[in-house]
Amino acid sequence: MQIDKLRGKELDQLFNAVLSLKDLEECYRFFDDLCTVNEIQSLSQRLEVARMLQDGNTYHKIETETGASTATISRVKRCLNYGNDAYQMALDRVKEQQESIEKG
């Protein structure tokens, strides 16, 4: 796993901080302080690219709708195919949350 190369006290602290956030508003506040607007947009763009790839969209449509470069789309696709299945896990959980909210 590639993440093992990054593993350490500082990254554990970051991830524990993210896990401590209680709601969407706290996430907005934390990431606004932690990251630049461009960094936040890049992260959210990658997740949207992953969702669109899973839904079978073409590179052209993804590029048009998200503004992502073909290099970014390819990188995300490589992670979907050969990564740690984290995009799939996160997207499945988001979908489950949305469906739960819609059911009320």
Side-chain angles (χ1 to χ4, degrees), residues 43-58:
L43 293 170
S44 63
Q45 180 188 66
R46 289 180 194 157
L47 188 60
E48 179 61 6
V49 167
R51 186 195 65 75
M52 291 182 76
L53 283 167
Q54 286 183 330
D55 288 349
N57 290 283
T58 64

Side-chain angles (χ1 to χ4, degrees), residues 47 50 54 79-80 82-93:
L47 188 60
Q54 286 183 330
C79 288
L80 285 170
Y82 306 108
N84 300 306
D85 297 323
Y87 276 120
Q88 182 69 51
M89 175 186 62
L91 290 168
D92 286 347
R93 289 180 182 171

